Every structure is written in C-alpha cells, then in structure tokens.
Amino acid sequence: MSLPASNVAQSHFNSFYSEHQTWLYKWIHRRLECHFDASDLTQDTFLRLYERREIQSIDSPRAYLATIAKGLISHFYRRKSIEQSYLEHLALSPEVFQLDELQRQILIETLTELDASLDRLPAQVKQAFLMSQLEGLTYKVIAEHMQVSEITVKRYMKQAFMQCLLLMEDDLFE
C-alpha cells in the first residue's frame, strides 16, 4: 500500500529539511552573526520553500536555499534600517507622539511594506514622492531639483500614489 500524495510530499520535505537545515543555518549565521536572527531566517527560508511545494524539482538545493535566504536577509536588513531610522526620528519627537510596542511594530511593518512597494517604481518616481512626502517640497521645487517639468512631477506623484493605493487595497483584502 502506498502513502497518499500529501504524506509523500511531507516526507520529502522532512528529508530535505533534515539534510539541509544545519548547512543553511550556518550559511545565514555567517552573514548575520546572530544566533536568534539566523534561526528565524532559516525557518523562514524553509517556510517559503514549503509553501511553494517544489522540492522534487530542485536541482541544486543549496543554491536554491541560498537564493531564498538572500532575499530574506535583504528584507531583514531593510526592515532593520527602517526601524533604526524610525527610532532615531522618534527620539527627536515630543513624548506626545510616543507609541506603545504594538503600535510601533505595526508602523514599522507598514513602513517596510511601503518602502518595498515604492522600490517597484522607477527611481525618479520614488525620489519625487519622497521629496514631496518626507521633505515637504512643492512640485515646482521638486521639478527644479530633478530638472524635469512640473507636469512630469505630477505624473510621478500620480504613479506613486497609485502604488500606495494598491498597497492599501492589498491590506484590505488580506
């Protein structure tokens, strides 16, 4: 009697995990130099792999795992950078604007998602959006700084706002 397909897939995954988990942990740990973060990212890597259910088709398991892990490490560092910038800004803010831990985590996650979403835009669009929203510059000043027309800045802003709306829409339907 043979095992059901789901049990076979689970068995393949368990074997794959056992065979590569220690190597992947060491690989990530060399890059992060933190036991806890390396453990978390190792598990996140295998979780991504498990969700894709592609284990049998992987020709080079370590290269495949390293590719997934590189993306997660990049996201990890981006999130750390955003969190650090937020904390530095928060330290300069009056106590009235202090948030509790849950609010902070939600805000940092939102900023991380927004940053990733804006990275999908052309560099000039992102630059114009950040100059407007973070520096409070007018479209005219942005146009002069970027050496483009004000109409172009308006187009950039429309594109950036559409990206933000798509991000908000994704959050509404999750």
Side-chain angles (χ1 to χ4, degrees), residues 114-115 117-149 152-161 163-164:
L114 180 59
D115 182 60
S117 186
L118 291 175
D119 269 352
R120 292 185 208 117
L121 295 170
Q124 286 192 306
V125 174
K126 181 178 179 179
Q127 180 185 7
F129 180 78
L130 293 176
M131 290 171 79
S132 169
Q133 299 302 301
L134 298 181
E135 298 175 34
L137 300 178
T138 65
Y139 291 1
K140 182 177 181 174
V141 171
I142 294 169
E144 290 169 2
H145 184 272
M146 295 179 72
Q147 299 179 344
V148 296
S149 70
T152 300
V153 172
K154 287 179 183 179
R155 277 192 229 118
Y156 289 167
M157 293 302 292
K158 180 180 177 183
Q159 197 175 348
F161 281 125
Q163 189 73 14
C164 291

Side-chain angles (χ1 to χ4, degrees), residues 48-63:
R48 292 267 173 98
L49 184 65
Y50 183 79
E51 290 170 347
R52 293 177 185 166
R53 302 187 185 273
E54 305 172 343
I55 294 177
Q56 290 85 1
S57 64
I58 298 173
D59 294 328
S60 304
R62 290 186 176 180

Side-chain angles (χ1 to χ4, degrees), residues 1-3 6 16 19 22 34 36 66 73 85 91 93 109 126 134 143 157 165 169:
M1 183 174 158
S2 64
L3 292 171
S6 63
F16 189 90
E19 188 176 336
T22 301
C34 175
F36 300 110
I73 290 169
S85 294
S93 300
E109 185 62 34
K126 181 178 179 179
L134 298 181
M157 293 302 292
L165 286 172
E169 188 178 81

Side-chain angles (χ1 to χ4, degrees), residues 77-100:
Y77 279 124
R78 170 176 271 149
R79 181 179 168 83
K80 284 280 193 197
S81 173
I82 290 170
E83 186 174 2
Q84 185 60 40
S85 294
Y86 167 73
L87 292 174
E88 289 169 4
H89 181 72
L90 189 63
L92 302 173
S93 300
E95 223 172 280
V96 170
F97 295 110
Q98 302 296 323
L99 304 174
D100 66 37

Side-chain angles (χ1 to χ4, degrees), residues 1-54:
M1 183 174 158
S2 64
L3 292 171
S6 63
N7 288 348
V8 170
Q10 185 65 45
S11 177
H12 283 296
F13 181 81
N14 292 345
S15 297
F16 189 90
Y17 180 88
S18 296
E19 188 176 336
H20 300 288
Q21 187 274 337
T22 301
W23 172 84
L24 182 61
Y25 167 79
K26 289 177 181 176
W27 187 90
I28 293 173
H29 187 263
R30 280 193 310 270
R31 284 149 182 81
L32 298 180
E33 298 178 355
C34 175
H35 166 73
F36 300 110
D37 293 336
S39 292
D40 285 347
L41 290 180
T42 299
Q43 295 310 319
D44 288 349
T45 302
F46 279 104
L47 180 60
R48 292 267 173 98
L49 184 65
Y50 183 79
E51 290 170 347
R52 293 177 185 166
R53 302 187 185 273
E54 305 172 343

